[in-house]
């Protein structure tokens, strides 16, 4: 047995560890908050070790204006903290400060197969028609994402529905690595896709995901929107003219109505069933103001806190630096063991 195989922290009996990431490629949306951030806070509060990463290396798979990227990274850090991530309890950091991510990413580029990556729907969507012109990084994106989770021997990854395929690929990569090198080293991660809002839809089109990259700002609620803007966007959200029914099944053909019910449920920590029971028979003329009031009551304090934190970017940079040092202390030994397993000569 190599040193690596006998070292602690192998796949068998790995302790639970939570990792997730968000790209600093624009502001946070209500979709990020309900599908990801709010659940990151719940996991932090459940007592397991939690690592949350601002994945700046992923962001540059499509070109980013450097000044805007730096601003978005700090604002995203502020968003995490404002939403309830405590940098003393969770490890909060940006990806590029922990070089083990990129290093393991390279090793995993050599494990994953071209065919696996070519099937990724996010690549197909983002590359569009002109695939030949997409960056190599955009194609290899899922290998870096697999490295993000594997370099900590992560067991659980909370994400929204859209990341399911990437995490299935991360599982394939871990299994292939363990198989090819005849080790039981990398745990096979579990995606955690839970809650009423794993897929928050656009306010303009109930069949499209709410996204920070949508051309229309009216399609999304940003965590930096003020109370008036939030109310306006909800008032103008596309709906139909029917009142709300008393059961969810009756909403199956009404995606916009279903989306607003899901948002209400997730914001108020109720099930969508409870929400339709409460509003049965009422039209959007009364449901929308109730939703706007709820959204403002949850999001306005977060918005205020983001603004306050952004008044001292030095403090944000210090928090990210301290988080990176803690992350590095976990990742580096796992990377060293990986290098040992694949046959790299290392100084001892
Ligand atoms: P991204 O902004 O693409 O880096 O996504 C960061 C996290 O937010 C991931 O876990 C996504 O699955 C989640 N997320 C993004 N948009 C939505 C949405 N519209 N509904 C639910 N979750 C979302
Ligand atoms: N690909 C994810 C997204 O766009 C972000 C991400 C990068 C991530 N690395 C990760 C999410 C690791 C979970 C775990 O949303």
């Amino acid at each position: 047995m190599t040193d690596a195989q006998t070292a602690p922290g192998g796949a068998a009996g790995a302790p639970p560890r939570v990792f997730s990431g968000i790209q600093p490629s624009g502001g946070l949306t209500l979709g990020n908050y309900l599908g990801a951030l709010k659940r990151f806070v719940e996991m932090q509060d459940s007592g397991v070790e939690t690592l949350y990463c601002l994945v700046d290396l992923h962001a540059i798979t499509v070109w980013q204006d450097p000044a805007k990227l730096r601003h978005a990274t700090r604002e995203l850090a502020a968003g995490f903290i404002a939403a309830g991530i405590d940098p003393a309890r969770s490890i909060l950091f940006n990806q590029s400060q922990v070089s083990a991510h990129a290093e393991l990413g390279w090793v995993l580029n050599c494990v994953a197969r071209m065919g696996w990556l070519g099937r990724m729907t996010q690549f197909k969507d983002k590359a569009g028609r002109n695939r030949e012109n997409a960056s190599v990084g955009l194609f290899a994106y899922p290998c870096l994402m697999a490295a993000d989770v594997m370099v900590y021997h992560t067991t659980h990854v909370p994400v929204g529905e859209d990341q399911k395929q990437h995490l299935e690929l991360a599982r394939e990569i871990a299994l292939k690595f363990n198989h090819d090198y005849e080790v039981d080293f990398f745990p096979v991660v579990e995606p955690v896709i839970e809650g009423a809002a794993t897929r928050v839809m656009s306010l303009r089109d109930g069949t499209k995901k709410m996204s920070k990259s949508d051309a229309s700002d009216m399609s999304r609620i940003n965590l930096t929107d003020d109370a008036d803007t939030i109310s306006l966007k909800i008032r103008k959200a596309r709906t139909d003219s029917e009142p709300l029914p008393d059961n969810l099944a009756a909403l199956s053909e009404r995606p916009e109505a279903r989306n607003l019910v899901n948002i209400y449920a997730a914001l108020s920590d109720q099930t969508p069933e409870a929400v339709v029971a409460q509003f049965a028979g009422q039209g959007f003329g009364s449901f929308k103001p109730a939703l706007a009031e709820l959204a403002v009551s949850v999001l306005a304090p977060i918005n205020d806190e983001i603004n306050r934190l952004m008044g001292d970017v030095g403090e944000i940079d210090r928090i990210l630096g301290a988080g990176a040092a803690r992350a590095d202390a976990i990742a580096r030994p796992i990377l060293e063991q990986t290098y040992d397993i694949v046959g790299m000569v290392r100084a001892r």
Side-chain angles (χ1 to χ4, degrees), residues 286-308:
S286 52
F287 182 67
K288 280 180 168 179
L291 177 59
E293 194 185 326
L294 172 65
V296 167
S297 74
V298 175
L299 301 180
I302 298 178
N303 182 358
D304 290 348
E305 185 61 4
I306 292 176
N307 290 335
R308 192 188 67 78

mmCIF file of all heavy atoms in Angstrom, residues 286-308:
data_model
loop_
_atom_site.group_PDB
_atom_site.id
_atom_site.type_symbol
_atom_site.label_atom_id
_atom_site.label_comp_id
_atom_site.label_asym_id
_atom_site.label_seq_id
_atom_site.Cartn_x
_atom_site.Cartn_y
_atom_site.Cartn_z
ATOM 1 N N SER A 286 -54.921 40.086 -5.000
ATOM 2 C CA SER A 286 -54.620 40.054 -3.564
ATOM 3 C C SER A 286 -53.373 39.213 -3.248
ATOM 4 O O SER A 286 -52.675 39.484 -2.275
ATOM 5 C CB SER A 286 -55.820 39.557 -2.756
ATOM 6 O OG SER A 286 -56.286 38.345 -3.268
ATOM 7 N N PHE A 287 -53.101 38.199 -4.094
ATOM 8 C CA PHE A 287 -51.926 37.358 -3.801
ATOM 9 C C PHE A 287 -50.615 38.125 -4.035
ATOM 10 O O PHE A 287 -49.674 38.033 -3.237
ATOM 11 C CB PHE A 287 -51.949 36.083 -4.658
ATOM 12 C CG PHE A 287 -50.797 35.150 -4.368
ATOM 13 C CD1 PHE A 287 -50.705 34.497 -3.138
ATOM 14 C CD2 PHE A 287 -49.793 34.935 -5.305
ATOM 15 C CE1 PHE A 287 -49.636 33.646 -2.858
ATOM 16 C CE2 PHE A 287 -48.723 34.075 -5.030
ATOM 17 C CZ PHE A 287 -48.650 33.440 -3.808
ATOM 18 N N LYS A 288 -50.558 38.893 -5.125
ATOM 19 C CA LYS A 288 -49.297 39.595 -5.427
ATOM 20 C C LYS A 288 -48.890 40.595 -4.339
ATOM 21 O O LYS A 288 -47.719 40.608 -3.945
ATOM 22 C CB LYS A 288 -49.385 40.293 -6.784
ATOM 23 C CG LYS A 288 -49.157 39.343 -7.970
ATOM 24 C CD LYS A 288 -49.267 40.144 -9.259
ATOM 25 C CE LYS A 288 -48.776 39.369 -10.449
ATOM 26 N NZ LYS A 288 -48.942 40.184 -11.674
ATOM 27 N N PRO A 289 -49.809 41.424 -3.830
ATOM 28 C CA PRO A 289 -49.385 42.323 -2.742
ATOM 29 C C PRO A 289 -48.903 41.560 -1.509
ATOM 30 O O PRO A 289 -47.942 41.984 -0.851
ATOM 31 C CB PRO A 289 -50.660 43.128 -2.430
ATOM 32 C CG PRO A 289 -51.478 43.042 -3.670
ATOM 33 C CD PRO A 289 -51.166 41.720 -4.301
ATOM 34 N N ALA A 290 -49.542 40.418 -1.213
ATOM 35 C CA ALA A 290 -49.103 39.632 -0.056
ATOM 36 C C ALA A 290 -47.695 39.091 -0.299
ATOM 37 O O ALA A 290 -46.828 39.111 0.593
ATOM 38 C CB ALA A 290 -50.076 38.478 0.194
ATOM 39 N N LEU A 291 -47.449 38.627 -1.533
ATOM 40 C CA LEU A 291 -46.124 38.105 -1.875
ATOM 41 C C LEU A 291 -45.078 39.224 -1.835
ATOM 42 O O LEU A 291 -43.963 39.027 -1.319
ATOM 43 C CB LEU A 291 -46.167 37.457 -3.264
ATOM 44 C CG LEU A 291 -44.841 36.915 -3.797
ATOM 45 C CD1 LEU A 291 -44.268 35.845 -2.869
ATOM 46 C CD2 LEU A 291 -45.012 36.335 -5.209
ATOM 47 N N ALA A 292 -45.455 40.396 -2.355
ATOM 48 C CA ALA A 292 -44.500 41.518 -2.360
ATOM 49 C C ALA A 292 -44.129 41.897 -0.929
ATOM 50 O O ALA A 292 -42.948 42.116 -0.620
ATOM 51 C CB ALA A 292 -45.104 42.711 -3.101
ATOM 52 N N GLU A 293 -45.130 41.942 -0.070
ATOM 53 C CA GLU A 293 -44.860 42.320 1.322
ATOM 54 C C GLU A 293 -43.931 41.297 1.987
ATOM 55 O O GLU A 293 -42.967 41.647 2.678
ATOM 56 C CB GLU A 293 -46.188 42.387 2.080
ATOM 57 C CG GLU A 293 -46.076 43.085 3.415
ATOM 58 C CD GLU A 293 -47.389 43.026 4.194
ATOM 59 O OE1 GLU A 293 -48.465 43.061 3.556
ATOM 60 O OE2 GLU A 293 -47.322 42.899 5.424
ATOM 61 N N LEU A 294 -44.205 40.015 1.727
ATOM 62 C CA LEU A 294 -43.363 38.956 2.292
ATOM 63 C C LEU A 294 -41.932 39.058 1.749
ATOM 64 O O LEU A 294 -40.948 38.994 2.506
ATOM 65 C CB LEU A 294 -43.973 37.591 1.930
ATOM 66 C CG LEU A 294 -43.149 36.351 2.258
ATOM 67 C CD1 LEU A 294 -42.979 36.201 3.774
ATOM 68 C CD2 LEU A 294 -43.815 35.088 1.676
ATOM 69 N N ALA A 295 -41.813 39.220 0.422
ATOM 70 C CA ALA A 295 -40.477 39.268 -0.196
ATOM 71 C C ALA A 295 -39.678 40.449 0.358
ATOM 72 O O ALA A 295 -38.501 40.306 0.705
ATOM 73 C CB ALA A 295 -40.600 39.364 -1.722
ATOM 74 N N VAL A 296 -40.337 41.601 0.484
ATOM 75 C CA VAL A 296 -39.632 42.776 1.001
ATOM 76 C C VAL A 296 -39.211 42.529 2.452
ATOM 77 O O VAL A 296 -38.084 42.853 2.853
ATOM 78 C CB VAL A 296 -40.508 44.044 0.872
ATOM 79 C CG1 VAL A 296 -39.920 45.198 1.675
ATOM 80 C CG2 VAL A 296 -40.663 44.436 -0.598
ATOM 81 N N SER A 297 -40.081 41.888 3.244
ATOM 82 C CA SER A 297 -39.734 41.692 4.661
ATOM 83 C C SER A 297 -38.532 40.753 4.819
ATOM 84 O O SER A 297 -37.742 40.901 5.738
ATOM 85 C CB SER A 297 -40.941 41.178 5.456
ATOM 86 O OG SER A 297 -41.173 39.819 5.157
ATOM 87 N N VAL A 298 -38.379 39.806 3.888
ATOM 88 C CA VAL A 298 -37.228 38.890 3.975
ATOM 89 C C VAL A 298 -35.982 39.515 3.338
ATOM 90 O O VAL A 298 -34.877 39.419 3.885
ATOM 91 C CB VAL A 298 -37.546 37.527 3.284
ATOM 92 C CG1 VAL A 298 -36.319 36.632 3.254
ATOM 93 C CG2 VAL A 298 -38.705 36.829 3.984
ATOM 94 N N LEU A 299 -36.171 40.168 2.175
ATOM 95 C CA LEU A 299 -35.002 40.585 1.400
ATOM 96 C C LEU A 299 -34.448 41.955 1.794
ATOM 97 O O LEU A 299 -33.241 42.186 1.656
ATOM 98 C CB LEU A 299 -35.329 40.573 -0.098
ATOM 99 C CG LEU A 299 -35.772 39.203 -0.652
ATOM 100 C CD1 LEU A 299 -36.070 39.302 -2.140
ATOM 101 C CD2 LEU A 299 -34.725 38.117 -0.396
ATOM 102 N N ALA A 300 -35.311 42.855 2.297
ATOM 103 C CA ALA A 300 -34.814 44.207 2.609
ATOM 104 C C ALA A 300 -33.697 44.191 3.658
ATOM 105 O O ALA A 300 -32.677 44.869 3.484
ATOM 106 C CB ALA A 300 -35.967 45.122 3.031
ATOM 107 N N PRO A 301 -33.828 43.412 4.746
ATOM 108 C CA PRO A 301 -32.720 43.386 5.710
ATOM 109 C C PRO A 301 -31.437 42.825 5.103
ATOM 110 O O PRO A 301 -30.328 43.270 5.440
ATOM 111 C CB PRO A 301 -33.218 42.449 6.821
ATOM 112 C CG PRO A 301 -34.693 42.322 6.643
ATOM 113 C CD PRO A 301 -34.981 42.603 5.197
ATOM 114 N N ILE A 302 -31.562 41.883 4.165
ATOM 115 C CA ILE A 302 -30.368 41.311 3.520
ATOM 116 C C ILE A 302 -29.714 42.386 2.650
ATOM 117 O O ILE A 302 -28.495 42.588 2.688
ATOM 118 C CB ILE A 302 -30.747 40.062 2.681
ATOM 119 C CG1 ILE A 302 -31.328 38.969 3.589
ATOM 120 C CG2 ILE A 302 -29.545 39.542 1.901
ATOM 121 C CD1 ILE A 302 -31.768 37.707 2.857
ATOM 122 N N ASN A 303 -30.561 43.100 1.929
ATOM 123 C CA ASN A 303 -30.065 44.183 1.072
ATOM 124 C C ASN A 303 -29.333 45.248 1.914
ATOM 125 O O ASN A 303 -28.217 45.672 1.576
ATOM 126 C CB ASN A 303 -31.275 44.783 0.334
ATOM 127 C CG ASN A 303 -30.885 45.878 -0.632
ATOM 128 O OD1 ASN A 303 -29.716 46.245 -0.742
ATOM 129 N ND2 ASN A 303 -31.863 46.436 -1.321
ATOM 130 N N ASP A 304 -29.939 45.643 3.031
ATOM 131 C CA ASP A 304 -29.301 46.654 3.904
ATOM 132 C C ASP A 304 -27.933 46.165 4.388
ATOM 133 O O ASP A 304 -26.966 46.918 4.435
ATOM 134 C CB ASP A 304 -30.172 46.930 5.144
ATOM 135 C CG ASP A 304 -31.441 47.683 4.773
ATOM 136 O OD1 ASP A 304 -31.526 48.170 3.628
ATOM 137 O OD2 ASP A 304 -32.353 47.757 5.633
ATOM 138 N N GLU A 305 -27.880 44.895 4.755
ATOM 139 C CA GLU A 305 -26.641 44.340 5.292
ATOM 140 C C GLU A 305 -25.562 44.255 4.207
ATOM 141 O O GLU A 305 -24.386 44.502 4.471
ATOM 142 C CB GLU A 305 -26.939 42.962 5.913
ATOM 143 C CG GLU A 305 -25.794 42.292 6.634
ATOM 144 C CD GLU A 305 -25.227 43.048 7.843
ATOM 145 O OE1 GLU A 305 -25.763 44.119 8.219
ATOM 146 O OE2 GLU A 305 -24.220 42.568 8.384
ATOM 147 N N ILE A 306 -25.964 43.893 2.967
ATOM 148 C CA ILE A 306 -24.987 43.857 1.865
ATOM 149 C C ILE A 306 -24.388 45.258 1.688
ATOM 150 O O ILE A 306 -23.166 45.427 1.601
ATOM 151 C CB ILE A 306 -25.634 43.382 0.533
ATOM 152 C CG1 ILE A 306 -26.044 41.910 0.633
ATOM 153 C CG2 ILE A 306 -24.684 43.596 -0.650
ATOM 154 C CD1 ILE A 306 -26.776 41.370 -0.600
ATOM 155 N N ASN A 307 -25.262 46.268 1.694
ATOM 156 C CA ASN A 307 -24.768 47.642 1.514
ATOM 157 C C ASN A 307 -23.824 48.044 2.637
ATOM 158 O O ASN A 307 -22.798 48.686 2.411
ATOM 159 C CB ASN A 307 -25.940 48.624 1.432
ATOM 160 C CG ASN A 307 -26.711 48.451 0.135
ATOM 161 O OD1 ASN A 307 -26.151 47.983 -0.856
ATOM 162 N ND2 ASN A 307 -27.988 48.801 0.145
ATOM 163 N N ARG A 308 -24.168 47.650 3.856
ATOM 164 C CA ARG A 308 -23.310 47.996 4.994
ATOM 165 C C ARG A 308 -21.937 47.320 4.844
ATOM 166 O O ARG A 308 -20.897 47.953 4.979
ATOM 167 C CB ARG A 308 -23.981 47.548 6.302
ATOM 168 C CG ARG A 308 -23.316 48.118 7.557
ATOM 169 C CD ARG A 308 -23.887 47.511 8.835
ATOM 170 N NE ARG A 308 -23.568 46.091 8.989
ATOM 171 C CZ ARG A 308 -22.392 45.608 9.389
ATOM 172 N NH1 ARG A 308 -21.406 46.434 9.677
ATOM 173 N NH2 ARG A 308 -22.194 44.302 9.495
#
